[in-house]
Amino acid sequence: MPRVEPDSDNLTATPLEHQVSEAFASKLRAAGLGEATVAELVRSFAARRTPSAEVLLEALKSPSSTEEAAE
Amino acid sequence: MIQLEHLHIEEFRGIRNIDIPLGCESFVVHGPNGSGKSGVVDAIDFALTGNIRRLAGQGTREVSVPQHAPHVSIRDTPSASSVSLTVRDLATGKTAVLKRSVETFSRYTLTPDDTDVRVAVEKARVHPELTLSRRDIIQYVVSPPTTRATQIQALLKLDKLGAFRANLGGAMRKAGNEVNASKTNLTTVENNFRAHLGTADVEATAVLTAINERRQTLGASEFTTLLPTTDFMMEVTAESGTTTVNLVGAIAETSALAASLADLTYVDAHRSTLSVELDKAENGNAILLAIQRRGLLETGLAAVTDEACPLCGLDWPTPEALRAHIAEEITQSEEARQFLAGLETPRESYVAAINDLRVEVSRVIPAAEEFGDRELPQLLRTWSNALAAHANEFSTNERTLRSAEELSVRRYNAPDGTTEKLTALDARLSALPAQSATVDARTFLALANERWTQVKLERERVEQAITTGEVADAVYEAYCQAMDEALNSLYYTVQEDFSRYYGQLNADDESTFSARLTPSQGSLAFEVDFYGIDMFPPNAYHSEGHQDGMGVCLYFALMKQTLGDDFRLAILDDVVMSVDVNHRLRFCELLKSEFPHVQFVITTHDIVWARQMQSAGLITGKQQARFYGWSVDDGPLYERSDIWDRIEEDLAKDDVNGAAHKLRRHLEAAAADIAEAIGASVQYRSDARYDLSDFIAAVKGRHGELLKKAANAANSYSDAVAMAKVQALRDTRATALHDQEGEAWAINPLVHNSDWANLSVNDFRPAFNSAREFLALFRCENESCGGWIHSERHSPESLRCDCGNYFVNLSARQAN
């Protein structure tokens, strides 16, 4: 899975972004996605530079994402 | 967050050199239009952000900070243009001087460079919306919903949320495209497989029947189930020296290709449909440009990390402002996006038809190599390559727009001579003796195995694509829900705060006012109550003045949401003028009650507004600066509280000319202010070019009249204390006027513009002292007040200051 590293700018995330991040993670788990994928997507969201659609799609193609979703 | 203690401006915009003691309290700069007030706002904006909002945005392409921020007289020397702000970090109470020069406008210095103060300054730096101009306020009210959403999301720092959603949506669409593409490929290879097997479909029973028939011929065991691991050649031994071409299959496929070549109308139909769709674009190049621009902008939006635009390198005030600008540009290419969405299906159908033809061509090549004319294989390869290249030209919408002209002719025609040689091959294959049963079975199974492998591979790809698509859908849905819930909550709070502020501002007739902010798929609908009748767009029935009031209230609600307790500073440039004249007091009360800890720096060209703010207790008499006029050479004509110290500084440097110039300008400003305060009548001049003597004469005359009235009033009451007080004032006045009249020559500009005049500090000091003494006649001695005394212009009843320390009764006792 292509990993997106958050950077120091995440320290300046707004309260609303924290709120969205937590709700996003919770809904991903409810949708059946596993912790590795949830963590990766939350990291992507927290990254200073929003990952492109291509990078996000590659992340979703990873075996862990699809296997978890298929379970 | 920071508040502003002191502002020093040098050679910036319309200001030459000015100091304004802001004192970390609300402050008003007032003066007529064109007196330089906005220069103060620009200076604060520039110091905090490195940018000037007035020089950015629509219609400002030709102006820039480096070129147009310095005073026009030093426009080629940006290093001489700078702003210094003494700021206080409210968390620690520490202060530092933030200085920014136009020459190095993207950087600032902090002295001392304290970490706490720097953090607080940075917080202000990323919020250019701390400065609000009159033209800004209405944008939130009357913008289209999508533009409003973009602007408000930028203000609330929500653009990142939107960008992530957009990219997740992009990932979801790309996943969907991959599903479609893989399904198309699967159909192609299944058709290929089915054609070889001679079956109606590729279901297990039909496949196994065809396979087992050949395996039986070769004495191999039959399969009872069809699994992904099934190898049709299992137990089948190779036989050297025999053909690998299955004659029956080759004849069928050669005949099929010959038939297709003879009638390509099914490809023509797809080409025609695609052409019709492309013709809907009035200007394909413009669409292409918009799409290229959109792609570039989307890439750029994702690449924004700081103030520098990743596309053009220009510096913006903040990354958020840059993102908002790019997002707005993307919105404008929506029409092009919709056109492309309509192009998708006909484009894919045409490409699929071309690819089907290519598959037909490529599967005849082995037979052509073994049994055809020696040129035929190369002709078929050339044709196949041409078809692949042609399909590739239409593999994306962008390529399709560029390749539109390629549709004017049949690019999928076979090379010359192919038809004849293919017909000859067909005839030759048909004339060949039938293969032996074992050869037929072996070649049949070998080719079936090859095509079965392709089918399995494509099936795996389809499954993978579908699963990825489902994950992408689920992730997008989860994110949208999370974001919408958070935004709904946020907008509800904003809507409630906004309604309360606006209701408070219009308590006389709209106290039960309510509003509704509704976010929906990247837009933000805004409706307001109109006198309890129904909800309407804000610009439907409310007057422009009320809309302006809404803009201000919405700004406050948004800022409260954006900064929370950190909303401690706002610079409002002539914004209060938007508030209806009947609601001034309520506006002041709103600021005092809802934002008691916010330092407002307010400019207004209406002196009544300034007095209203003072009366309401929003500012004190000292927390204001009045600009009387402006000139290119000198900048604002400004009455300032620390003028005496500054003149002393000049005298200490033996700069008599500088001191005299400052004193004269101060007297001009102060005398104009006093004239208005005490109701002195200055002789009207149509060119408005009043001289200092005009004001001084009027002020002295009016002051004398008022003290005479005061004496009469005291006498009418036989009030000995009052009589003594008035007499003391008249004595002081007599002395001050005597000195002032005797020394007035020393500040005459003619003196200082003449070579023969070479005044020493000692020559000048009496003029300085007399001027100070003269102005003191009109000033309250209470330092916390410090305002000019004032009285009614008509039927004056008292001469007084704002704090009450100075009070002289002017109303005589009425005779019985």
Side-chain angles (χ1 to χ4, degrees):
Chain A
M1 179 184 296
R3 181 171 167 146
V4 179
E5 294 294 340
D7 56 25
S8 58
D9 199 50
N10 188 34
L11 297 175
T12 62
T14 64
L16 189 77
E17 285 169 8
H18 284 302
Q19 186 185 341
V20 172
S21 179
E22 286 176 16
F24 182 37
S26 166
K27 290 178 189 301
L28 288 174
R29 290 188 190 101
L33 294 174
E35 279 309 311
T37 309
V38 173
E40 181 57 28
L41 285 167
V42 170
R43 259 197 298 276
S44 299
F45 176 65
R48 179 177 183 176
R49 180 182 296 186
T50 300
S52 67
E54 288 77 13
V55 170
L56 288 168
L57 182 57
E58 287 306 310
L60 298 177
K61 279 181 185 172
S62 71
S64 60
S65 300
T66 48
E67 282 165 18
E68 287 154 359
E71 281 171 6
Chain B
M1 185 47 79
I2 54 168
Q3 286 186 336
L4 313 180
E5 200 161 274
H6 191 91
L7 171 65
H8 174 70
I9 306 170
E10 278 190 37
E11 306 290 4
F12 185 86
R13 301 290 287 158
I15 296 172
R16 304 306 304 258
N17 182 306
I18 211 168
D19 280 272
I20 299 181
L22 299 167
C24 294
E25 292 178 26
S26 289
F27 197 95
V28 173
V29 179
H30 57 98
N33 287 330
S35 61
K37 304 181 301 296
S38 292
V40 173
V41 172
D42 290 346
I44 296 174
D45 188 18
F46 172 73
L48 292 178
T49 68
N51 195 37
I52 302 172
R53 290 182 89 188
R54 196 190 310 279
L55 300 188
Q58 207 168 18
T60 56
R61 203 172 284 263
E62 291 168 353
V63 291
S64 68
V65 166
Q67 286 188 303
H68 303 99
H71 187 274
V72 66
S73 301
I74 60 125
R75 59 189 179 283
D76 296 327
T77 319
S79 58
S81 176
S82 67
V83 180
S84 298
L85 261 182
T86 306
V87 300
R88 178 180 296 165
D89 168 32
L90 297 174
T92 62
K94 294 176 187 172
T95 60
V97 177
L98 182 169
K99 182 173 183 181
R100 200 186 288 266
S101 162
V102 172
E103 186 175 41
T104 53
F105 65 95
S106 61
R107 300 191 300 275
Y108 64 89
T109 60
L110 201 61
T111 310
D113 194 352
D114 181 90
T115 305
D116 292 327
V117 182
R118 187 167 278 275
V119 167
V121 166
E122 280 298 304
K123 192 167 278 184
R125 188 181 68 82
V126 299
H127 287 284
E129 64 277 6
L130 288 174
T131 302
L132 182 74
S133 73
R134 202 175 170 192
R135 92 176 165 181
D136 294 330
I137 59 169
I138 205 66
Q139 69 182 6
Y140 302 127
V141 175
V142 295
S143 298
T146 49
T147 308
R148 180 187 298 117
T150 305
Q151 289 167 336
I152 289 184
Q153 284 181 8
L155 178 73
L156 294 173
K157 311 295 175 204
L158 302 181
D159 42 346
K160 182 180 172 180
L161 299 186
F164 194 70
R165 184 181 68 171
N167 287 357
L168 277 181
M172 183 177 69
R173 283 188 295 278
K174 284 179 188 297
N177 290 342
E178 289 188 8
V179 170
N180 292 337
S182 59
K183 281 182 174 174
T184 302
N185 285 342
L186 178 60
T187 303
T188 300
V189 296
E190 281 184 342
N191 285 342
N192 217 7
F193 185 41
R194 181 189 52 73
H196 175 63
L197 296 180
T199 57
D201 55 46
V202 289
E203 291 305 308
T205 308
V207 171
L208 290 179
T209 302
I211 294 298
N212 284 337
E213 183 187 331
R214 274 71 181 187
R215 287 182 64 81
Q216 200 175 27
T217 303
L218 296 171
S221 60
E222 293 183 15
F223 294 120
T224 54
T225 53
L226 181 63
L227 300 172
T229 53
T230 302
D231 176 7
F232 300 151
M233 293 294 282
M234 191 177 74
E235 302 166 358
V236 175
T237 53
E239 194 172 317
S240 61
T242 58
T243 180
T244 58
V245 174
N246 178 261
L247 190 55
V248 174
I251 290 171
E253 288 169 351
T254 303
S255 298
L257 180 59
S260 294
L261 186 53
D263 182 11
L264 287 171
T265 50
Y266 74 103
V267 188
D268 293 341
H270 289 298
R271 178 166 63 104
S272 171
T273 306
L274 181 57
S275 290
V276 168
E277 199 62 35
L278 279 169
D279 286 345
K280 290 180 183 172
E282 286 182 7
N283 185 340
N285 285 335
I287 294 274
L288 189 58
L289 198 63
I291 293 308
Q292 286 172 335
R293 191 174 157 75
R294 185 184 180 92
L296 185 68
L297 289 167
E298 284 176 341
T299 305
L301 184 61
V304 172
T305 57
D306 52 27
E307 295 83 355
C309 175
L311 302 175
C312 67
L314 277 181
D315 275 341
W316 281 71
T318 65
E320 291 72 22
L322 173 56
R323 288 193 188 104
H325 173 73
I326 297 176
E328 172 65 15
E329 295 281 320
I330 291 173
T331 304
Q332 289 173 3
S333 61
E334 181 59 21
E335 192 179 331
R337 192 197 66 74
Q338 287 179 1
F339 169 76
L340 289 193
L343 195 62
E344 195 76 19
T345 301
R347 180 188 66 75
E348 286 178 351
S349 299
Y350 180 63
V351 169
I354 297 293
N355 280 334
D356 284 347
L357 182 58
R358 184 175 58 81
V359 168
E360 274 194 275
V361 173
S362 60
R363 64 191 181 194
V364 174
I365 292 174
E369 283 176 332
E370 192 161 339
F371 301 106
D373 181 282
R374 64 187 175 83
E375 291 178 7
L376 183 57
Q378 189 52 44
L379 285 173
L380 293 177
R381 283 197 188 89
T382 301
W383 190 13
S384 175
N385 290 341
L387 290 170
H390 187 59
N392 192 45
E393 285 176 323
F394 297 90
S395 60
T396 65
N397 286 332
E398 289 79 1
R399 287 182 180 176
T400 301
L401 281 167
R402 275 193 222 101
S403 308
E405 287 188 5
E406 295 294 306
L407 295 175
S408 59
V409 291
R410 272 183 166 182
R411 294 289 182 198
Y412 38 84
N413 271 345
D416 290 345
T418 305
T419 305
E420 296 75 16
K421 294 183 191 311
L422 193 63
T423 306
L425 174 64
D426 196 14
R428 179 156 186 215
L429 290 173
S430 300
L432 284 173
Q435 285 177 323
S436 69
T438 54
V439 171
D440 175 75
R442 185 178 293 108
T443 53
F444 182 91
L445 290 176
L447 192 54
N449 225 22
E450 187 182 312
R451 294 185 180 180
W452 171 233
T453 302
Q454 290 173 347
V455 169
K456 287 186 292 186
L457 196 63
E458 288 303 327
R459 282 181 176 173
E460 282 175 16
R461 285 180 182 156
V462 168
E463 281 180 20
Q464 171 72 32
I466 289 173
T467 308
T468 302
E470 287 171 352
V471 172
D473 288 352
V475 169
Y476 182 73
E477 184 65 23
Y479 183 78
C480 287
Q481 280 181 13
M483 181 175 159
D484 286 349
E485 283 170 13
L487 287 182
N488 279 328
S489 166
L490 178 148
Y491 285 131
Y492 179 77
T493 308
V494 170
Q495 145 190 320
E496 294 305 294
D497 284 342
F498 163 73
S499 300
R500 191 173 74 254
Y501 300 158
Y502 186 80
Q504 194 172 331
L505 188 60
N506 298 276
D508 52 342
D509 62 348
E510 288 191 277
S511 59
T512 58
F513 173 86
S514 64
R516 194 162 55 209
L517 280 167
T518 315
S520 173
Q521 305 209 342
S523 70
L524 183 62
F526 181 35
E527 293 178 307
V528 297
D529 162 58
F530 186 69
Y531 294 96
I533 298 169
D534 205 344
M535 303 297 279
F536 300 97
N539 52 347
Y541 295 110
H542 280 90
S543 69
E544 288 192 5
H546 283 81
Q547 289 173 41
D548 284 358
M550 286 181 204
V552 177
C553 291
L554 187 55
Y555 168 78
F556 286 143
L558 290 167
M559 289 304 285
K560 185 182 168 196
Q561 190 63 39
T562 305
L563 290 168
D565 292 340
D566 270 338
F567 182 36
R568 302 291 297 275
L569 173 65
I571 296 95
L572 310 179
D573 186 15
D574 230 359
V575 167
V576 292
M577 283 311 298
S578 305
V579 176
D580 182 72
V581 68
N582 299 317
H583 298 109
R584 286 172 174 161
L585 188 59
R586 287 203 181 89
F587 183 79
C588 295
E589 286 168 353
L590 174 70
L591 298 192
K592 273 186 70 182
S593 61
E594 294 286 346
F595 307 100
H597 303 300
V598 178
Q599 178 188 21
F600 290 103
V601 178
I602 299 170
T603 67
T604 175
H605 63 262
D606 185 347
I607 192 171
V608 180
W609 250 113
R611 295 216 183 287
Q612 190 85 63
M613 285 186 252
Q614 191 175 342
S615 301
L618 189 64
I619 56 165
T620 65
K622 294 187 78 173
Q623 289 303 110
Q624 52 184 297
R626 181 171 181 190
F627 289 2
Y628 298 89
W630 178 88
S631 66
V632 174
D633 290 338
D634 297 321
L637 185 57
Y638 168 42
E639 193 276 310
R640 52 206 308 166
S641 60
D642 66 338
I643 185 67
W644 308 118
D645 295 338
R646 290 169 54 78
I647 293 173
E648 287 285 11
E649 283 171 17
D650 283 349
L651 294 178
K653 291 184 290 188
D654 208 21
D655 180 8
V656 177
N657 266 9
H661 181 69
K662 284 187 176 67
L663 180 58
R664 181 175 178 84
R665 286 172 57 76
H666 177 61
L667 277 173
E668 286 169 348
D673 202 12
I674 296 165
E676 176 154 331
I678 64 174
S681 298
V682 180
Q683 188 174 5
Y684 175 72
R685 291 194 178 199
S686 59
D687 61 0
R689 295 175 72 87
Y690 293 100
D691 187 77
L692 173 61
S693 59
D694 296 331
F695 290 115
I696 293 286
V699 163
K700 285 196 284 195
R702 175 66 167 174
H703 187 236
E705 282 174 22
L706 294 174
L707 289 187
K708 191 174 177 182
K709 281 183 77 76
N712 289 339
N715 284 332
S716 71
Y717 287 101
S718 301
D719 183 341
V721 174
M723 284 192 279
K725 182 177 175 181
V726 172
Q727 188 56 47
L729 289 172
R730 297 178 90 172
D731 291 346
T732 307
R733 166 187 156 87
T735 306
L737 260 54
H738 177 267
D739 293 346
Q740 185 268 333
E741 286 163 4
E743 300 296 340
W745 66 275
I747 56 169
N748 188 323
L750 290 176
V751 173
H752 297 278
N753 288 332
S754 303
D755 293 338
W756 56 265
N758 186 15
L759 295 182
S760 69
V761 170
N762 287 336
D763 293 331
F764 181 74
R765 189 164 286 284
F768 170 68
N769 291 337
S770 66
R772 195 167 183 173
E773 189 182 4
F774 175 72
L775 292 182
L777 293 174
F778 307 95
R779 180 82 83 182
C780 171
E781 290 176 346
N782 179 4
E783 279 203 2
S784 64
C785 174
W788 298 123
I789 56 173
H790 50 88
S791 71
E792 299 79 8
R793 179 174 289 274
H794 304 291
S795 306
E797 294 180 355
S798 64
L799 188 59
R800 59 194 181 278
C801 69
D802 283 329
C803 76
N805 180 53
Y806 187 115
F807 184 88
V808 177
N809 176 44
L810 304 180
S811 298
R813 186 175 189 171
Q814 299 292 317
N816 289 328

